[in-house]
Amino acid sequence: MTKRLALLGIAVLLVPSLAAAVEARGENSASGPTIVRMVQSPGVFEPQNLELRPGRYIFMITNLGVDHQVDFVLKRMEGQNAQGGADPKPIRSARLTRLIRNRETSNTAVVELKPGTYIYDSPLNNTPEYTLTVR
């Protein structure tokens, strides 16, 4: 019984990551935006470092085990700074509709992604900055 529960717990953790990978590769349909499912656990996002096609997306974020509210911020890498690197500029529409408590899910508004490099993170969960590449 304990082994079965452990396997079920692993499956629950993996399903959102696998779903995100499958949906992230999927084409945007004429019927609406593609949903990218993501999970936050303490200090990390899954999946990490995404690659998507240009199009319309909704990011569906689930808080799985963070004992406080978390968020999601997506920034497009634009322009050049004095050192020749890109300066991230926030995309306001990619913020969540609300902060997420443990075991809850929240979505972003529809986000139009154009070719380029973006970064995403959760300042409230102290995650690293991950790369989202749109080609």
Side-chain angles (χ1 to χ4, degrees):
M1 178 74 168
T2 303
K3 188 174 186 179
R4 188 177 290 167
L5 287 175
L7 289 174
L8 179 61
I10 290 170
V12 167
L13 288 174
L14 291 177
V15 167
S17 295
L18 294 175
V22 170
E23 290 183 327
R25 286 182 294 137
E27 295 82 31
N28 287 299
S29 70
S31 62
T34 300
I35 295 177
V36 178
R37 288 183 172 90
M38 303 175 81
V39 174
Q40 282 194 58
S41 53
V44 296
F45 260 109
E46 291 292 336
Q48 300 172 7
N49 303 321
L50 294 168
E51 186 168 319
L52 302 173
R53 295 180 179 159
R56 298 173 61 227
Y57 293 88
I58 293 174
F59 293 87
M60 181 182 289
I61 314 297
T62 299
N63 177 343
L64 192 59
V66 182
D67 63 358
H68 58 274
Q69 292 179 329
V70 299
D71 58 350
F72 172 75
V73 178
L74 180 67
K75 302 171 195 152
R76 181 170 171 96
M77 304 297 286
E78 293 181 353
Q80 297 291 317
N81 61 27
Q83 292 76 31
D87 290 325
K89 296 188 179 179
I91 300 172
R92 298 273 179 221
S93 63
R95 290 185 181 272
L96 292 169
T97 54
R98 64 178 175 82
L99 297 178
I100 315 166
R101 290 185 227 146
N102 190 15
R103 307 271 181 221
E104 291 185 352
T105 299
S106 181
N107 300 336
T108 64
V110 175
V111 179
E112 181 79 29
L113 295 180
K114 298 181 181 186
T117 303
Y118 300 75
I119 57 172
Y120 62 94
D121 68 342
S122 174
L124 294 178
N125 189 15
N126 199 26
T127 65
E129 290 184 335
Y130 300 103
T131 302
L132 186 160
T133 305
V134 179
R135 300 176 205 233

